[in-house]
Coordinates of all heavy atoms in Angstrom, one line a residue:
E332 N 14.5 -13.5 26.8 CA 14.5 -12.5 25.7 C 13.6 -12.9 24.6 O 13.3 -14.1 24.3 CB 15.9 -12.5 25.1 CG 17.0 -12.0 26.0 CD 16.9 -10.5 26.3 OE1 16.9 -9.8 25.3 OE2 16.8 -10.1 27.4
P333 N 13.1 -11.9 23.8 CA 12.2 -12.3 22.6 C 13.1 -13.0 21.5 O 14.3 -12.7 21.5 CB 11.7 -10.9 22.1 CG 12.6 -9.9 22.7 CD 13.2 -10.5 23.9
P334 N 12.5 -13.8 20.7 CA 11.1 -14.2 20.7 C 10.8 -15.1 21.9 O 11.6 -15.9 22.3 CB 11.0 -15.0 19.4 CG 12.3 -15.5 19.0 CD 13.3 -14.5 19.6
Y335 N 9.6 -15.0 22.4 CA 9.2 -15.7 23.6 C 8.7 -17.1 23.3 O 8.3 -17.8 24.3 CB 8.2 -14.9 24.4 CG 8.8 -13.6 24.9 CD1 8.6 -12.4 24.4 CD2 9.7 -13.7 26.0 CE1 9.2 -11.2 24.9 CE2 10.3 -12.5 26.5 CZ 10.0 -11.3 25.9 OH 10.7 -10.2 26.4
G336 N 8.6 -17.5 22.1 CA 8.2 -18.8 21.8 C 8.8 -19.3 20.5 O 9.4 -18.6 19.7
T337 N 8.6 -20.6 20.3 CA 9.3 -21.2 19.1 C 8.3 -21.2 17.9 O 8.8 -21.4 16.8 CB 9.6 -22.7 19.4 OG1 8.5 -23.3 20.0 CG2 10.8 -22.8 20.3
S338 N 7.0 -20.9 18.1 CA 6.1 -20.9 17.0 C 5.6 -19.5 16.7 O 5.6 -18.7 17.6 CB 5.0 -21.9 17.2 OG 4.4 -21.7 18.5
F339 N 5.2 -19.4 15.4 CA 4.7 -18.1 15.0 C 3.4 -18.3 14.1 O 3.2 -19.4 13.6 CB 5.7 -17.4 14.1 CG 7.0 -17.0 14.8 CD1 8.0 -17.9 15.0 CD2 7.1 -15.7 15.3 CE1 9.1 -17.6 15.8 CE2 8.2 -15.4 16.0 CZ 9.2 -16.3 16.3
F340 N 2.6 -17.3 14.0 CA 1.4 -17.4 13.2 C 1.9 -17.2 11.7 O 2.5 -16.2 11.4 CB 0.4 -16.3 13.4 CG -0.3 -16.3 14.8 CD1 -0.4 -15.2 15.5 CD2 -0.7 -17.5 15.4 CE1 -1.0 -15.2 16.8 CE2 -1.3 -17.5 16.6 CZ -1.5 -16.3 17.3
T341 N 1.5 -18.2 10.9 CA 1.7 -18.0 9.4 C 0.4 -18.0 8.7 O -0.7 -18.2 9.4 CB 2.5 -19.2 8.8 OG1 1.7 -20.3 8.8 CG2 3.8 -19.5 9.6
E342 N 0.4 -17.8 7.4 CA -0.9 -17.7 6.7 C -1.7 -19.0 6.7 O -2.8 -19.0 6.4 CB -0.6 -17.2 5.2 CG -0.2 -15.8 5.1 CD 1.3 -15.5 5.4 OE1 2.0 -16.5 5.7 OE2 1.7 -14.3 5.3
T343 N -1.0 -20.1 7.0 CA -1.7 -21.4 7.0 C -2.0 -21.9 8.4 O -2.6 -23.0 8.6 CB -0.9 -22.5 6.3 OG1 0.4 -22.5 6.9 CG2 -0.7 -22.2 4.8
T344 N -1.8 -21.1 9.4 CA -2.1 -21.5 10.8 C -3.7 -21.6 10.9 O -4.4 -20.7 10.3 CB -1.7 -20.4 11.8 OG1 -0.2 -20.3 11.7 CG2 -2.0 -20.8 13.2
K345 N -4.1 -22.7 11.5 CA -5.5 -22.9 11.6 C -6.2 -21.8 12.5 O -5.6 -21.5 13.5 CB -5.7 -24.3 12.3 CG -7.0 -24.9 12.1 CD -6.9 -26.4 12.5 CE -8.1 -27.0 13.2 NZ -8.5 -26.5 14.4
Y346 N -7.4 -21.4 12.1 CA -8.1 -20.4 12.9 C -8.6 -21.0 14.2 O -9.0 -22.2 14.3 CB -9.4 -19.9 12.1 CG -9.1 -18.7 11.2 CD1 -7.8 -18.6 10.6 CD2 -10.0 -17.8 11.0 CE1 -7.6 -17.5 9.8 CE2 -9.8 -16.7 10.1 CZ -8.5 -16.6 9.5 OH -8.3 -15.5 8.7
D347 N -8.4 -20.3 15.3 CA -8.8 -20.7 16.7 C -9.1 -19.6 17.6 O -8.4 -19.3 18.6 CB -7.6 -21.6 17.2 CG -7.8 -22.1 18.6 OD1 -9.0 -22.3 18.9 OD2 -6.9 -22.4 19.3
P348 N -10.1 -18.8 17.2 CA -10.4 -17.5 17.9 C -10.9 -17.8 19.3 O -11.7 -18.8 19.5 CB -11.4 -16.8 17.1 CG -12.1 -17.9 16.3 CD -11.1 -19.0 16.1
H349 N -10.6 -17.0 20.3 CA -11.1 -17.2 21.7 C -12.0 -16.1 22.2 O -12.8 -16.4 23.1 CB -9.9 -17.3 22.6 CG -9.0 -18.4 22.3 ND1 -7.6 -18.4 22.4 CD2 -9.3 -19.7 21.8 CE1 -7.1 -19.5 22.0 NE2 -8.1 -20.3 21.7
S350 N -11.9 -14.9 21.7 CA -12.8 -13.8 22.3 C -13.9 -13.6 21.3 O -13.8 -13.9 20.1 CB -12.0 -12.5 22.4 OG -11.7 -12.0 21.2
P351 N -15.0 -13.0 21.7 CA -16.1 -12.7 20.8 C -15.6 -11.8 19.7 O -16.0 -11.9 18.5 CB -17.1 -12.0 21.7 CG -16.9 -12.6 23.0 CD -15.4 -12.8 23.1
Y352 N -14.6 -10.9 20.0 CA -14.0 -10.0 19.0 C -13.4 -10.9 17.9 O -13.7 -10.8 16.7 CB -13.0 -9.0 19.6 CG -12.1 -8.4 18.5 CD1 -12.6 -7.6 17.5 CD2 -10.7 -8.7 18.5 CE1 -11.8 -7.0 16.6 CE2 -9.9 -8.1 17.6 CZ -10.4 -7.3 16.6 OH -9.6 -6.8 15.6
S353 N -12.4 -11.8 18.3 CA -11.7 -12.5 17.3 C -12.6 -13.5 16.6 O -12.4 -13.8 15.4 CB -10.5 -13.2 17.9 OG -10.8 -14.0 19.1
A354 N -13.6 -14.0 17.3 CA -14.6 -14.9 16.6 C -15.3 -14.2 15.5 O -15.5 -14.7 14.4 CB -15.6 -15.5 17.7
S355 N -15.7 -12.9 15.8 CA -16.4 -12.2 14.8 C -15.5 -11.8 13.6 O -15.9 -11.8 12.5 CB -17.1 -10.9 15.4 OG -16.1 -10.0 15.8
K356 N -14.3 -11.5 13.9 CA -13.3 -11.2 12.8 C -13.1 -12.5 12.0 O -13.0 -12.5 10.7 CB -12.0 -10.7 13.3 CG -12.1 -9.3 13.9 CD -12.4 -8.2 12.9 CE -11.4 -7.9 11.9 NZ -11.7 -6.7 11.1
A357 N -12.9 -13.6 12.7 CA -12.7 -14.9 11.9 C -13.9 -15.2 11.0 O -13.7 -15.5 9.8 CB -12.6 -16.0 12.9
A358 N -15.1 -15.0 11.5 CA -16.3 -15.2 10.7 C -16.3 -14.3 9.5 O -16.6 -14.7 8.3 CB -17.6 -15.0 11.5
S359 N -15.9 -13.0 9.7 CA -15.9 -12.1 8.5 C -14.8 -12.5 7.5 O -15.1 -12.4 6.3 CB -15.7 -10.7 9.0 OG -14.4 -10.5 9.6
D360 N -13.7 -13.0 8.0 CA -12.6 -13.5 7.0 C -13.2 -14.6 6.2 O -12.9 -14.7 5.0 CB -11.4 -14.0 7.8 CG -10.7 -12.9 8.6 OD1 -11.2 -11.8 8.7 OD2 -9.6 -13.2 9.2
H361 N -13.9 -15.5 6.8 CA -14.4 -16.7 6.1 C -15.4 -16.2 5.0 O -15.5 -16.7 3.9 CB -15.1 -17.7 7.0 CG -14.2 -18.4 8.0 ND1 -12.9 -18.9 7.5 CD2 -14.2 -18.7 9.3 CE1 -12.3 -19.5 8.5 NE2 -13.1 -19.4 9.6
F362 N -16.3 -15.2 5.4 CA -17.3 -14.7 4.4 C -16.5 -14.1 3.2 O -16.9 -14.3 2.1 CB -18.2 -13.7 5.1 CG -19.5 -14.3 5.6 CD1 -19.7 -14.4 6.9 CD2 -20.4 -14.8 4.7 CE1 -20.9 -14.9 7.4 CE2 -21.6 -15.4 5.1 CZ -21.8 -15.5 6.5
V363 N -15.5 -13.3 3.5 CA -14.8 -12.7 2.4 C -14.2 -13.8 1.4 O -14.4 -13.7 0.2 CB -13.6 -11.8 2.9 CG1 -12.8 -11.2 1.8 CG2 -14.2 -10.6 3.7
R364 N -13.5 -14.8 2.0 CA -12.9 -15.8 1.2 C -14.0 -16.6 0.4 O -13.8 -17.0 -0.7 CB -12.1 -16.8 2.0 CG -10.9 -16.1 2.6 CD -9.9 -17.0 3.3 NE -8.8 -16.2 3.8 CZ -8.6 -16.0 5.1 NH1 -9.4 -16.5 6.0 NH2 -7.5 -15.3 5.5
S365 N -15.2 -16.8 1.1 CA -16.3 -17.5 0.4 C -16.8 -16.7 -0.8 O -17.2 -17.3 -1.8 CB -17.4 -17.8 1.4 OG -18.2 -16.6 1.5
F366 N -16.7 -15.4 -0.8 CA -17.2 -14.6 -1.9 C -16.2 -14.7 -3.1 O -16.6 -14.6 -4.2 CB -17.4 -13.1 -1.5 CG -18.8 -12.9 -1.1 CD1 -19.4 -13.6 -0.1 CD2 -19.6 -12.0 -1.8 CE1 -20.7 -13.4 0.3 CE2 -20.9 -11.7 -1.4 CZ -21.5 -12.4 -0.4
H367 N -15.0 -15.0 -2.8 CA -14.0 -15.3 -3.9 C -14.4 -16.7 -4.5 O -14.6 -16.8 -5.7 CB -12.6 -15.2 -3.5 CG -11.7 -15.8 -4.6 ND1 -11.3 -17.1 -4.6 CD2 -11.2 -15.2 -5.7 CE1 -10.6 -17.3 -5.7 NE2 -10.5 -16.1 -6.4
D368 N -14.4 -17.7 -3.6 CA -14.6 -19.0 -4.1 C -15.9 -19.3 -4.7 O -16.1 -20.1 -5.7 CB -14.4 -20.0 -2.9 CG -13.0 -19.9 -2.3 OD1 -12.2 -19.3 -2.9 OD2 -12.8 -20.5 -1.2
T369 N -17.0 -18.6 -4.2 CA -18.3 -18.8 -4.8 C -18.7 -18.0 -6.0 O -19.3 -18.5 -6.9 CB -19.4 -18.6 -3.7 OG1 -19.0 -19.3 -2.5 CG2 -20.8 -19.0 -4.1
Y370 N -18.4 -16.7 -5.9 CA -18.8 -15.8 -6.9 C -17.7 -15.2 -7.8 O -17.9 -14.5 -8.7 CB -19.5 -14.5 -6.3 CG -20.6 -14.9 -5.3 CD1 -20.5 -14.7 -4.0 CD2 -21.8 -15.5 -5.8 CE1 -21.5 -15.1 -3.1 CE2 -22.8 -15.9 -4.9 CZ -22.7 -15.7 -3.6 OH -23.7 -16.0 -2.7
G371 N -16.4 -15.6 -7.4 CA -15.3 -15.1 -8.2 C -14.9 -13.6 -7.9 O -14.2 -13.0 -8.7
M372 N -15.3 -13.1 -6.7 CA -15.0 -11.7 -6.4 C -13.5 -11.7 -6.1 O -12.9 -12.5 -5.4 CB -15.8 -11.3 -5.2 CG -15.5 -9.8 -4.8 SD -16.5 -9.3 -3.4 CE -18.1 -9.2 -4.0
P373 N -12.8 -10.7 -6.7 CA -11.3 -10.6 -6.4 C -11.0 -10.0 -5.0 O -11.0 -8.8 -4.8 CB -10.8 -9.6 -7.5 CG -12.0 -9.3 -8.4 CD -13.2 -9.6 -7.6
T374 N -10.9 -10.9 -4.1 CA -10.7 -10.5 -2.7 C -9.2 -10.7 -2.3 O -8.5 -11.4 -2.9 CB -11.5 -11.4 -1.7 OG1 -11.1 -12.7 -2.0 CG2 -13.0 -11.2 -2.0
V375 N -8.8 -10.0 -1.2 CA -7.6 -10.2 -0.5 C -7.8 -10.0 0.9 O -8.6 -9.1 1.3 CB -6.4 -9.4 -1.2 CG1 -6.6 -7.9 -1.0 CG2 -5.1 -9.8 -0.7
V376 N -7.1 -10.7 1.8 CA -7.2 -10.6 3.3 C -5.9 -10.4 3.9 O -4.9 -11.1 3.5 CB -7.9 -11.9 3.9 CG1 -8.0 -11.7 5.4 CG2 -9.3 -12.1 3.2
T377 N -5.8 -9.5 4.8 CA -4.5 -9.5 5.6 C -4.8 -9.6 7.1 O -5.9 -9.1 7.6 CB -3.7 -8.2 5.3 OG1 -4.5 -7.0 5.5 CG2 -3.2 -8.2 3.9
N378 N -3.9 -10.2 7.8 CA -4.0 -10.4 9.3 C -2.8 -9.7 9.9 O -1.7 -10.1 9.7 CB -4.1 -11.9 9.6 CG -5.3 -12.5 9.0 OD1 -5.3 -12.9 7.8 ND2 -6.4 -12.7 9.7
C379 N -3.1 -8.7 10.7 CA -2.0 -7.9 11.2 C -1.9 -8.0 12.8 O -2.9 -8.3 13.4 CB -2.2 -6.4 10.8 SG -0.8 -5.3 11.3
S380 N -0.8 -7.7 13.3 CA -0.5 -7.7 14.7 C -0.9 -6.4 15.3 O -1.5 -5.5 14.6 CB 0.9 -8.0 15.0 OG 1.7 -7.0 14.5
N381 N -0.7 -6.2 16.6 CA -1.1 -5.0 17.4 C -0.4 -3.7 16.8 O 0.8 -3.7 16.6 CB -0.6 -5.1 18.8 CG -1.5 -6.0 19.6 OD1 -1.5 -7.2 19.4 ND2 -2.2 -5.4 20.6
N382 N -1.2 -2.7 16.5 CA -0.7 -1.5 16.0 C -0.6 -0.5 17.1 O -1.3 -0.5 18.1 CB -1.7 -0.9 15.0 CG -1.7 -1.5 13.6 OD1 -1.9 -0.9 12.6 ND2 -1.5 -2.8 13.6
Y383 N 0.4 0.5 16.9 CA 0.4 1.6 17.9 C 0.8 2.8 17.1 O 1.4 2.8 16.0 CB 1.4 1.3 19.0 CG 2.9 1.3 18.6 CD1 3.7 2.4 18.8 CD2 3.4 0.2 17.9 CE1 5.0 2.4 18.3 CE2 4.7 0.2 17.4 CZ 5.5 1.3 17.7 OH 6.8 1.4 17.2
G384 N 0.5 4.0 17.7 CA 0.8 5.3 17.0 C -0.2 6.3 17.3 O -1.1 6.1 18.2
P385 N -0.2 7.5 16.7 CA -1.1 8.6 16.9 C -2.6 8.2 16.6 O -2.8 7.3 15.7 CB -0.7 9.7 16.0 CG 0.8 9.4 15.7 CD 0.9 7.9 15.8
Y386 N -3.5 8.8 17.2 CA -5.0 8.7 17.0 C -5.6 7.4 17.4 O -6.7 7.1 16.9 CB -5.3 8.9 15.5 CG -4.9 10.3 14.9 CD1 -3.9 10.4 14.0 CD2 -5.5 11.5 15.3 CE1 -3.5 11.6 13.4 CE2 -5.1 12.7 14.8 CZ -4.1 12.8 13.9 OH -3.7 14.0 13.3
Q387 N -4.9 6.7 18.3 CA -5.6 5.4 18.8 C -6.5 5.7 19.9 O -6.1 6.5 20.8 CB -4.5 4.4 19.2 CG -5.2 3.0 19.5 CD -4.1 1.9 19.7 OE1 -3.0 2.2 20.1 NE2 -4.5 0.7 19.4
F388 N -7.7 5.2 20.0 CA -8.7 5.5 21.0 C -8.1 5.0 22.4 O -7.6 3.9 22.5 CB -10.0 4.8 20.7 CG -11.1 5.3 21.5 CD1 -11.8 6.5 21.1 CD2 -11.5 4.7 22.8 CE1 -12.8 7.0 21.9 CE2 -12.5 5.3 23.5 CZ -13.2 6.4 23.1
P389 N -8.2 5.9 23.4 CA -7.5 5.6 24.6 C -8.2 4.7 25.6 O -8.3 4.9 26.8 CB -7.3 7.0 25.3 CG -8.4 7.8 24.7 CD -8.7 7.3 23.3
E390 N -8.7 3.6 25.0 CA -9.2 2.4 25.7 C -8.1 1.3 25.5 O -8.1 0.3 26.3 CB -10.5 1.9 25.2 CG -10.5 1.5 23.8 CD -11.8 1.1 23.1 OE1 -12.8 1.1 23.9 OE2 -11.8 1.0 21.9
K391 N -7.3 1.5 24.5 CA -6.3 0.5 24.2 C -5.0 0.8 25.0 O -4.8 1.9 25.4 CB -5.9 0.5 22.7 CG -7.2 0.4 21.8 CD -7.7 -1.0 21.6 CE -9.1 -1.1 20.9 NZ -9.2 -0.6 19.6
L392 N -4.2 -0.3 25.2 CA -3.2 -0.2 26.2 C -2.3 1.0 26.1 O -2.1 1.8 27.1 CB -2.3 -1.5 26.1 CG -1.1 -1.5 27.1 CD1 -1.6 -1.9 28.5 CD2 -0.1 -2.5 26.7
I393 N -1.7 1.3 25.0 CA -0.6 2.3 24.9 C -1.2 3.7 25.1 O -0.7 4.4 26.1 CB 0.2 2.2 23.6 CG1 1.0 0.9 23.7 CG2 1.1 3.4 23.4 CD1 2.0 0.6 22.6
P394 N -2.2 4.2 24.4 CA -2.7 5.6 24.7 C -3.3 5.7 26.1 O -3.2 6.7 26.7 CB -3.7 5.8 23.6 CG -4.0 4.5 23.0 CD -2.9 3.6 23.2
L395 N -4.0 4.6 26.6 CA -4.6 4.7 27.9 C -3.5 4.9 29.0 O -3.6 5.7 29.8 CB -5.3 3.3 28.2 CG -5.9 3.2 29.6 CD1 -7.1 4.1 29.8 CD2 -6.3 1.8 29.9
F396 N -2.4 4.1 28.8 CA -1.4 4.2 29.8 C -0.6 5.6 29.8 O -0.3 6.1 30.8 CB -0.4 3.0 29.8 CG -1.0 1.8 30.5 CD1 -2.4 1.5 30.5 CD2 -0.2 0.9 31.1 CE1 -2.9 0.4 31.2 CE2 -0.7 -0.2 31.8 CZ -2.1 -0.5 31.8
I397 N -0.4 6.1 28.6 CA 0.3 7.4 28.4 C -0.5 8.4 29.1 O 0.0 9.2 29.9 CB 0.6 7.7 27.0 CG1 1.5 6.7 26.3 CG2 1.1 9.2 26.8 CD1 1.6 6.9 24.8

Side-chain angles (χ1 to χ4, degrees):
E332 295 286 307
Y335 292 105
T337 49
S338 47
F339 295 83
F340 296 138
T341 72
E342 288 80 1
T343 55
T344 301
K345 199 165 142 298
Y346 274 30
D347 182 23
H349 298 143
S350 73
Y352 163 66
S353 52
S355 68
K356 290 296 291 186
S359 66
D360 296 7
H361 291 318
F362 266 112
V363 173
R364 294 190 180 107
S365 79
F366 268 59
H367 170 268
D368 296 350
T369 309
Y370 307 111
M372 186 180 287
T374 59
V375 65
V376 177
T377 54
N378 298 81
C379 187
S380 64
N381 285 64
N382 285 215
Y383 71 99
Y386 300 113
Q387 187 168 30
F388 195 84
E390 62 188 349
K391 309 279 166 61
L392 181 78
I393 292 184
L395 175 73
F396 278 33
I397 295 171

